[in-house]
Structures are given as C-alpha cells and as structure tokens.
Amino acid sequence: MVRAWFMDSSDTDQRQPHMQEPPQFVDLATLRELSGVEYYKMDADGYLEDSALKKMREDRGYSYEDLIEIKKDTLPNYEVKIKAFFEEHLHSDEEIRLIIDGSGYFDVRDKDDKWIRIECVKGDLLILPAGIYHRFTLDTKNYIKAVRLFVGEPVWTPINRPADDHPARINYVKTVVAQ
Ligand code: KMT
Ligand code: NI
C-alpha cells in the first residue's frame, strides 16, 4: 500500500523519510483532493500485458513508454540528474511513473504549499498533474526502476520554481488549487 505524509521541515539527508513527529499521514483521497495527484496499483511484473495498464494507455492516450533506471553506476550523469530531480519544478504535461523495482519518494506541494511525500514501491503508478510543483529523490536503498508514460512525443523538461506564469501552472491553479 502506498503511503504519503506531510514532511517535517528539516533539510537534512533528502533520502530519509522526513516524517513529522507523530507522523501526519495523508490517505489517497485526501492526496488527490489536496494536489490532484492520482494513484493506481498495477501488476509490475506483468505490466506489458496487464489489462488495467492497457486500459489506461488506451483511455488516456499514453502512446509513448520507456524505462528509467536510477542507479549510481549505470545512469549517465547520475549526480547531476539526482540533483535536478530534487530541484522543485513543474512540467507542461503530466508526469506518469509506474514503479517496477526499487523505491523512492515523490514530493508534491499541496494546495497550501505544504510538502507531501509519497513513498513509491513496485506496482505503484502515479500521475502528477501538469503544473504541479514537485521533486523526486531516491530513498536510502538508492535504487529505482520505473516506466515513464507520455501522450505523444515526450517532453521531460523541468521548469524550476518560480514558474507561476507558466500556462500549465496557471491551469493547475485554476483547476486544482482554487477548487
Ligand atoms: C523525474 O522526472 O523526476 C524522474 O523521472 C525521476 C523519477 S522516475 C522514478
Ligand atoms: Ni518532474
């Protein structure tokens, strides 16, 4: 089961859980309400053939798919990428990730600009809406492998905060934050 929680305010090691004391967990319905983030459980082993994933590809028009493996010795420019993933940013499109091995944290800003940390493990599929401020980090196990999905030709460009005038941000504020 995926878990999410409001983060503490300490800026020590990003790979630690950073839960508050006591922990302030966020359930999936609340996560969606506060951020627009969608979560689905998928069959990570059989994902190529999984009917739920197949339906999602069709329904949402996910025509592009590749794999990203974040591992020190095999990902080119590892340190640079790790740093860029953890810079607060947004994208002009959804960020869709299905975790097929390992684990990591997606941090998203909620409507009140508070950080919610989403712990992702094998079988978790997350859809971060276009325009949401977010970041990603590995956890202390230092390994994740994920499928990246996209509608059409992929654009992975991160637009670092502040990007409040970006059209995707304006639309996100209108459709999620202001609701
Ligand atoms: C991104 O865009 O932040 C990433 O692709 C990194 C996380 S994928 C598990
Ligand atoms: Ni991103």
Side-chain angles (χ1 to χ4, degrees):
M1 180 63 198
V2 72
R3 294 192 306 168
W5 55 85
F6 286 110
M7 293 184 75
D8 67 18
S9 53
S10 121
D11 55 10
T12 55
D13 186 1
Q14 67 191 55
R15 289 173 160 89
Q16 295 294 332
H18 286 278
M19 280 186 196
Q20 294 179 25
E21 193 58 56
Q24 305 291 316
F25 289 106
V26 180
D27 63 51
L28 290 173
T30 308
L31 175 68
R32 181 145 181 184
E33 211 175 280
L34 293 181
S35 69
V37 170
E38 294 176 64
Y39 169 84
Y40 300 91
K41 190 78 197 169
M42 292 287 162
D43 175 4
D45 288 321
Y47 77 91
L48 287 171
E49 297 304 323
D50 185 49
S51 57
L53 187 58
K54 207 166 181 174
K55 185 167 185 327
M56 182 171 285
R57 284 192 199 95
E58 286 167 9
D59 290 351
R60 295 181 174 245
Y62 295 155
S63 49
Y64 176 91
E65 188 166 314
D66 71 6
L67 280 177
I68 180 166
E69 186 174 40
I70 307 179
K71 190 177 176 186
K72 199 174 176 62
D73 297 322
T74 56
L75 183 71
N77 296 319
Y78 174 84
E79 299 294 348
V80 173
K81 281 182 187 148
I82 288 288
K83 198 159 178 281
F85 289 150
F86 202 64
E87 287 286 325
E88 183 173 0
H89 64 271
L90 58 74
H91 304 280
S92 51
D93 303 271
E94 291 177 336
E95 180 166 323
I96 311 142
R97 299 289 185 273
L98 166 62
I99 314 308
I100 54 170
D101 200 7
S103 50
Y105 299 125
F106 283 91
D107 298 338
V108 300
R109 291 281 193 185
D110 78 354
K111 289 183 182 189
D112 299 321
D113 220 28
K114 288 194 254 174
W115 280 119
I116 298 176
R117 174 155 278 194
I118 308 163
E119 177 184 57
C120 288
V121 298
K122 184 173 173 175
D124 293 338
L125 187 151
L126 270 194
I127 304 175
L128 310 188
I132 190 173
Y133 284 125
H134 66 281
R135 63 188 182 191
F136 172 82
T137 180
L138 289 170
D139 60 24
T140 53
K141 295 184 196 135
N142 287 314
Y143 179 70
I144 199 164
K145 189 174 181 181
V147 180
R148 305 192 293 187
L149 298 128
F150 207 89
V151 182
E153 273 306 299
V155 181
W156 310 123
T157 319
I159 300 146
N160 287 347
R161 191 170 185 173
D164 292 350
D165 295 333
H166 191 283
R169 181 66 196 175
I170 291 169
N171 187 57
Y172 176 82
V173 168
K174 201 164 64 188
T175 55
V176 180
V177 178
Q179 292 308 304

